Amino acid sequence: MASKVFQADALLAAACGSDVTRSKAAIIELTQLLAAEEDTPAKDELLRKGALKTLVQLLLNPPVPGNDLNSQVTSALQDIASSSPQLRQEVAAEENIVPALARALHPCMGGPVTGNAADVCIHSAGLLWKLAREPQCREAVASAPQILCQLSALLATSARKAAVSALWGLTLDTAVTEAAAPVVAEMMKGLAPSVASPPKGAEDPEIDGYVQSYSCAVVANLAAAP
């Protein structure tokens, strides 16, 4: 047992280190262990040791600047949350998951979204779509509705399908739509073009039709708020 504890501690320490190559390798290993279908002693030990909190903290306080590690971490959290309902609930229950994703998305706003930045947006929005099923996540978004504006801004990017799915799932909750009232005008800057017509030069009509349809549904959810 002592060696397993040591291995878990060492793996978590490597994930948080300033050596990006080692950190990425540790995050990949963490993801494989936590997203495994079967329960294992290693998986239990990592969860007990706060592996999910470690990943969230890496988004809040990255040891190195830039989107490179953010892409790896958001991908890891998405894979873990997608692996089972229990882990989806555990990720949603992490106290700072919504602020962490908002922080990861912040550098991607207001400019071209390509490369690692695009990956961060796609993974973050995809994760929020998964977590929208969980009341803890919806409560967190209701407390910090600015992230809805970030998702709306992504409707003009390669992350548009994941973003509109997340917006739709979150705005099904009345508490979220009520909390969104002060930011609806900002949200509409992203939603209105998607509702009016798909982006010009669309490369994937199927995705753009999906985005247009669900953007209309999000607007309807917002309009139905008391």
Side-chain angles (χ1 to χ4, degrees):
M1 178 63 73
S3 63
K4 288 180 182 175
V5 172
F6 173 77
Q7 287 172 2
D9 288 341
L11 190 57
L12 294 172
C16 300
S18 57
D19 183 327
V20 176
T21 303
R22 259 191 90 203
S23 184
K24 281 185 173 183
I27 292 166
I28 289 170
E29 189 174 347
L30 277 173
T31 307
Q32 290 170 341
L33 290 168
L34 291 172
E37 288 186 15
E38 66 282 355
D39 290 330
T40 64
K43 184 176 185 177
D44 293 342
E45 184 66 26
L46 286 167
L47 289 171
R48 191 178 69 79
K49 286 282 183 180
L52 296 178
K53 188 177 294 296
T54 296
L55 291 170
V56 171
Q57 285 300 316
L58 281 171
L59 293 179
L60 284 171
N61 301 295
V64 290
N67 287 317
D68 204 10
L69 201 60
N70 280 354
S71 172
Q72 193 84 47
V73 176
T74 51
S75 174
L77 286 167
Q78 185 182 17
D79 287 349
I80 292 164
S82 300
S83 66
S84 73
Q86 179 194 345
L87 279 169
R88 186 181 69 226
Q89 291 163 10
E90 294 202 29
V91 173
E94 280 298 321
E95 183 180 0
N96 291 312
I97 184 63
V98 171
L101 291 173
R103 190 190 187 290
L105 285 170
H106 182 70
C108 307
M109 299 292 107
V113 179
T114 58
N116 283 320
D119 290 340
V120 171
C121 293
I122 291 168
H123 298 319
S124 298
L127 176 58
L128 281 165
W129 175 50
K130 291 281 183 189
L131 299 186
R133 306 175 197 184
E134 303 302 331
Q136 302 101 313
C137 177
R138 298 196 300 271
E139 288 168 15
V141 169
S143 299
Q146 192 64 31
I147 199 167
L148 298 172
C149 300
Q150 292 177 294
L151 289 169
S152 298
L154 295 181
L155 296 179
T157 73
S158 58
R160 59 195 182 278
K161 184 174 182 180
V164 81
S165 298
L167 281 169
W168 176 73
L170 290 166
T171 57
L172 288 172
D173 190 309
T174 305
V176 171
T177 52
E178 287 179 358
V183 299
V184 165
E186 189 176 346
M187 290 176 67
M188 288 306 297
K189 293 176 185 176
L191 282 162
S194 293
V195 168
S197 63
K200 291 181 180 178
E203 294 180 4
D204 193 325
E206 185 177 341
I207 287 179
D208 290 309
Y210 177 98
V211 172
Q212 185 178 27
S213 175
Y214 276 84
S215 292
C216 292
V218 171
V219 173
N221 289 345
L222 293 170

